């Protein structure tokens, strides 16, 4: 555990990058509970768990809808003694299907697998799994695919247009930590 001026600092490992849905929910949760923490962003559930196992993080948070959530919870608890200490329901950031300007008929869309059922994907010939909703958006502006199911706030970027708005999902979120139940 980190200390500043003798006080313990909580360190959360979560899926990133900064600006991701995990970041959005964790920052809102910390604000709402009055807690402060340092946040470590990881590209995969396994790396996030490693941070907690190695003592670099005191807590980890993952969305229950994430495809790796069940494995993370089981491995954390039954292999490493990292306990499920909190669950909560939170709205995610509103999403949208954003497409690159100049694409007349979008054929490909990238998304994080946990968001696959949030809206109809009819009309797309190719569906690409991205590591995060942020990575899905980055691929659109880099020309890797035509559209992304990503944060609605990215619609402000002049290189994309909004094909469809998607309301914020309400998901269950899981927090695991070393030691006692809180």
């Amino acid at each position: 555990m980190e200390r500043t001026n003798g006080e313990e600092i909580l360190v959360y490992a979560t899926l990133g990058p900064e600006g991701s849905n995990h970041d959005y929910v964790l920052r809102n949760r910390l604000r709402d509970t009055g807690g402060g923490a340092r946040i470590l962003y990881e590209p995969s559930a396994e790396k996030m768990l490693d941070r907690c196992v190695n003592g670099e993080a005191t807590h980890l948070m993952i969305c229950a809808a994430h495809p790796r959530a069940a494995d993370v919870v089981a491995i954390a608890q039954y292999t490493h003694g990292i306990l499920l200490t909190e669950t909560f329901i939170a709205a995610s950031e509103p999403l949208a299907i954003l497409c690159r300007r100049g694409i007349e008929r979008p054929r490909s869309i990238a998304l994080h697998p946990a968001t696959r059922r949030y809206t109809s994907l009819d009309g797309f010939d190719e569906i690409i799994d991205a590591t995060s909703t942020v990575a899905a958006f980055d691929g659109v502006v880099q020309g890797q695919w035509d559209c992304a199911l990503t944060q609605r706030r990215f619609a402000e970027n002049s290189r994309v247009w909004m094909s469809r708005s998607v309301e914020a999902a309400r998901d269950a979120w899981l927090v695991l930590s070393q030691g006692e139940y809180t």
Side-chain angles (χ1 to χ4, degrees):
M1 176 157 318
E2 293 184 17
R3 294 184 177 275
T4 300
N5 298 329
E7 291 189 34
E8 294 179 350
I9 295 178
L10 300 178
V11 180
Y12 277 79
T14 196
L15 295 169
E18 190 169 350
S20 69
N21 195 48
H22 277 71
D23 177 48
Y24 175 84
V25 170
L26 180 54
R27 286 182 186 279
N28 285 342
R29 182 68 173 176
L30 291 171
R31 184 196 68 230
D32 292 347
T33 60
R38 189 163 72 88
I39 302 172
L40 304 174
Y41 301 101
E42 293 301 330
S44 71
E46 292 73 21
K47 288 184 186 283
M48 178 183 64
L49 179 57
D50 286 345
R51 289 285 199 139
C52 208
V53 169
N54 296 332
E56 298 169 68
T58 57
H59 295 74
L60 67 86
M61 186 193 80
I62 190 167
C63 181
H66 189 279
R68 300 286 297 143
D71 287 341
V72 167
V73 171
I75 293 167
Q77 291 191 119
Y78 303 115
T79 303
H80 301 290
I82 299 168
L83 303 174
L84 179 61
T85 55
E86 181 183 1
T87 60
F88 62 96
I89 306 293
S92 297
E93 193 169 0
L95 300 176
I97 294 179
L98 302 180
C99 301
R100 193 172 57 256
R101 290 203 183 278
I103 303 292
E104 200 169 300
R105 187 198 173 285
R107 297 186 188 288
S108 60
I109 185 169
L111 49 77
H112 187 277
T115 66
R116 183 175 299 274
R117 304 288 180 229
Y118 287 6
T119 189
S120 171
L121 301 174
D122 291 348
F124 290 101
D125 299 332
E126 184 180 12
I127 300 170
I128 301 124
D129 287 345
T131 56
S132 70
T133 53
V134 175
F137 175 74
D138 288 345
V140 169
V141 296
Q142 294 168 4
Q144 295 174 328
W145 37 77
D146 300 338
C147 301
L149 179 54
T150 189
Q151 282 86 344
R152 187 182 309 160
R153 66 182 152 86
F154 294 150
E156 297 173 5
N157 186 305
S158 63
R159 293 179 283 179
V160 298
W161 57 276
M162 184 167 29
S163 169
R164 183 181 319 144
S165 179
V166 179
E167 292 306 312
R170 292 184 54 80
D171 290 313
W173 293 83
L174 311 172
V175 178
L176 295 94
S177 62
Q178 300 276 3
E180 310 258 336
Y181 288 102
T182 56

